[in-house]
Amino acid sequence: MASKINTGFTVIPSQKYRRSNRRSSDFSNTLDSEAQPLSTLGSFKALPLEVFQIILKYLSVKDISMLSMVSKTVSQNIINYISTSSGSKRLLLQDFHTLELHGRRQNFGILEHYRSLGLLFKRCTLLLPTKERLKYIHKILTETLTAGWDDLECHRVYNFLCELTNLSRKMQAVVCNKPGSSRKLELRIRLFCRNVLLDHWSQRSDSAFWLTRILKPWPMVNQARLLYIIFGPISPQDGQVFWQKMIEGPTDESSLKGLAEAIKLLYDTGTKEWTADDVISLVDELSVVPREWLLENNARLLILSGNSICFTFMASKAVNGRATELARLVVFLALVCEKELYCMDWAVKMMQKVCKVFNTPIERNNFLQSVANAFACVIMEMLQSIMSGDRDEDDRSFLNLFHLVHAQANFHKEVLYLTMGSVSS
């Protein structure tokens, strides 16, 4: 009986033993596999690096961007691909800095490409310090790349770009030499600043930040020169900066729109680096770049810049005892309103608002008398120009004189309406 008990206890079927042995082996293999680190390249581990880069050629920038988040190793391999000549040639479009020469649809496609590329750079370099991340941008900066970065990091970006592209040295060359003496360099600076740093931001505060970085390191006279290079009118023939546009004759609204928008950008964003006096001084300095503008062009710029800037500029002249200059400016504000079919009562109300800046009734009356005298003086100057000019200039001068006489009549009519309205009330 004992023998039977011992036999039943010790004898184990061979089949059960084999099943138990197989399970133990599987468990052992699992432990061994967990003990060995998995490749961060995943299935790509079996591929040579050259084949991996060939695969990347068939992926869109957005797809490569998603792939870069798989692992740090994959991300590093993608960065290495971008650094190769074939990857750089494919991803970094060579005509990025000539957007003004293309159609709007093509421009949009290029910008979308670089937004995707910015996101790719951002994802590939996410774990790196700012200084290290900048090494991979290859002269390309988009809003996607720096979105969410604080001001200090963006300062580093600008300093890096200046060092990488010698931007400060190039700017110094154009602001210290005679305007137009380095026309190709002026155009390169304009395109780089507009297409890389300033345009295409959705927030005006971002554009103001980068424009401030460009202008603030320089004295006021150089700031005005740079502002004209970046936003001033360009020649329709060769696309170069048109330095004589504001001097040769009255210009149109389109030639001044870029400058006016830049001035409003600095004035309206409320940044601590720009006071109202700074902006007004910049406008005053701009009006003599490269030489003193025609006063009509100065008046048109003030109108395009908005009521606040226009009033502050005029009030500054009143406070500083430049009433005669102010009176002539009022005449040309009225002339621009007449030419552009703006409401003449705007010019009259602006003059009325400026009158309140003067401290005493005598100063106000003297200013109003100066405005009346200025109309007469400008008309006489135009008549003398007609008598001494050639035939082509006569036609333009006659038309200008015609507009000025109408402007004077409409201006004084609005003054009478305003006076009679205040008396009746």
Side-chain angles (χ1 to χ4, degrees):
M1 185 174 178
S3 176
K4 288 183 179 180
I5 293 174
N6 291 337
T7 302
F9 178 79
T10 57
V11 177
I12 302 175
S14 60
Q15 187 175 2
K16 288 184 179 181
Y17 173 79
R18 287 194 300 270
R19 183 164 59 245
S20 174
N21 184 60
R22 184 171 64 249
R23 287 177 179 174
S24 175
S25 176
D26 290 344
F27 181 72
S28 176
N29 291 338
T30 301
L31 290 177
D32 291 341
S33 63
E34 290 181 353
Q36 298 176 356
L38 295 175
S39 171
T40 54
L41 281 174
S43 300
F44 289 111
K45 182 181 180 182
L47 297 177
L49 184 60
E50 293 80 4
V51 177
F52 177 77
Q53 293 183 356
I54 291 175
I55 294 174
L56 294 180
K57 293 180 181 180
Y58 292 92
L59 299 180
S60 67
V61 178
K62 290 184 178 180
D63 291 336
I64 297 176
S65 178
M66 294 295 294
L67 181 62
S68 68
M69 295 190 295
V70 169
S71 69
K72 185 176 180 180
T73 305
V74 171
S75 177
Q76 185 60 50
N77 284 353
I78 291 175
I79 290 177
N80 293 337
Y81 165 71
I82 297 173
S83 301
T84 63
S85 58
S86 59
S88 177
K89 186 178 296 184
R90 179 206 166 188
L91 295 175
L92 306 179
L93 305 181
Q94 301 301 309
D95 55 356
F96 176 70
H97 297 293
T98 56
L99 289 179
E100 293 183 2
L101 306 180
H102 298 295
R104 180 173 298 179
R105 180 174 297 180
Q106 186 174 357
N107 291 352
F108 180 77
I110 292 175
L111 293 176
E112 284 301 309
H113 171 82
Y114 276 97
R115 287 193 180 98
S116 300
L117 190 59
L119 185 60
L120 168 60
F121 280 126
K122 196 169 188 175
R123 287 171 171 172
C124 284
T125 62
L126 189 62
L127 301 178
L128 298 177
T130 300
K131 189 172 182 179
E132 293 298 319
R133 300 177 79 179
L134 294 175
K135 292 181 180 180
Y136 298 104
I137 68 173
H138 295 272
K139 302 183 183 181
I140 302 303
L141 178 67
T142 65
E143 58 183 307
T144 307
L145 180 63
T146 58
W149 291 22
D150 61 30
D151 287 355
L152 179 59
E153 288 179 318
C154 291
H155 272 281
R156 292 171 180 168
V157 171
Y158 182 75
N159 292 336
F160 172 82
L161 286 175
C162 286
E163 181 180 352
L164 183 67
T165 63
N166 291 320
L167 183 61
S168 297
R169 181 179 58 81
K170 293 174 183 176
M171 287 182 175
Q172 184 175 12
V174 297
V175 299
C176 294
N177 294 331
K178 183 180 178 180
S181 60
S182 305
R183 297 172 67 83
K184 291 184 178 180
L185 183 57
E186 290 170 356
L187 183 58
R188 284 200 293 269
I189 291 174
R190 178 189 179 97
L191 292 175
F192 182 85
C193 291
R194 292 286 294 272
N195 296 334
V196 176
L197 297 174
L198 298 174
D199 292 347
H200 321 304
W201 292 98
S202 57
Q203 300 293 329
R204 288 172 56 83
S205 58
D206 291 327
S207 298
F209 172 86
W210 293 106
L211 183 56
T212 301
R213 302 282 71 74
I214 294 170
L215 298 181
K216 271 300 181 179
W218 304 95
M220 187 68 68
V221 61
N222 293 338
Q223 290 179 14
R225 179 86 71 88
L226 284 173
L227 200 67
Y228 194 97
I229 290 173
I230 298 171
F231 294 102
I234 57 176
S235 171
Q237 284 77 27
D238 55 12
Q240 308 285 349
V241 178
F242 198 166
W243 288 104
Q244 305 302 316
K245 184 72 170 177
M246 306 301 171
I247 303 167
E248 293 179 345
T251 188
D252 55 0
E253 182 178 315
S254 61
S255 298
L256 288 164
K257 189 174 182 180
L259 290 170
E261 289 299 323
I263 292 167
K264 286 193 292 185
L265 188 68
L266 299 176
Y267 188 87
D268 295 339
T269 49
T271 175
K272 295 180 180 179
E273 295 176 276
W274 292 96
T275 65
D277 288 340
D278 290 336
V279 177
I280 296 308
S281 298
L282 183 59
V283 174
D284 206 17
E285 195 67 49
L286 183 65
S287 64
V288 294
V289 174
R291 296 192 305 276
E292 188 173 358
W293 292 8
L294 295 181
L295 200 49
E296 180 179 334
N297 293 333
N298 199 9
R300 184 174 274 105
L301 175 64
L302 290 174
I303 292 174
L304 292 175
S305 298
N307 292 351
S308 297
I309 294 175
C310 185
F311 169 74
T312 307
F313 184 86
M314 296 174 71
S316 175
K317 287 186 177 296
V319 170
N320 292 316
R322 299 161 69 179
T324 303
E325 294 180 28
L326 180 58
R328 288 180 65 87
L329 179 58
V330 171
V331 171
F332 283 96
L333 287 173
L335 178 60
V336 173
C337 288
E338 179 67 25
K339 282 186 173 182
E340 303 297 336
L341 301 179
Y342 299 146
C343 294
M344 188 61 71
D345 66 336
W346 174 88
V348 173
K349 290 178 180 178
M350 184 62 69
M351 183 190 69
Q352 182 189 32
K353 189 176 180 181
V354 171
C355 281
K356 298 177 181 179
V357 177
F358 293 99
N359 295 323
T360 65
I362 295 177
E363 290 179 338
R364 287 192 287 271
N365 291 336
N366 289 339
F367 169 65
L368 293 175
Q369 184 62 51
S370 297
V371 172
N373 293 339
F375 269 107
C377 289
V378 174
I379 290 175
M380 288 300 297
E381 290 170 4
M382 287 187 178
L383 285 172
Q384 291 175 359
S385 176
I386 292 171
M387 294 176 65
S388 61
D390 57 34
R391 188 175 186 84
D392 291 337
E393 290 181 355
D394 286 350
D395 292 339
R396 291 192 296 268
S397 298
F398 267 120
L399 183 60
N400 217 29
L401 178 60
F402 171 81
H403 285 302
L404 180 58
V405 172
H406 271 264
Q408 183 187 32
N410 290 330
F411 183 85
H412 285 95
K413 181 180 68 175
E414 292 296 335
V415 171
L416 287 174
Y417 285 158
L418 185 63
T419 304
M420 297 303 296
S422 61
V423 170
S424 62
S425 61

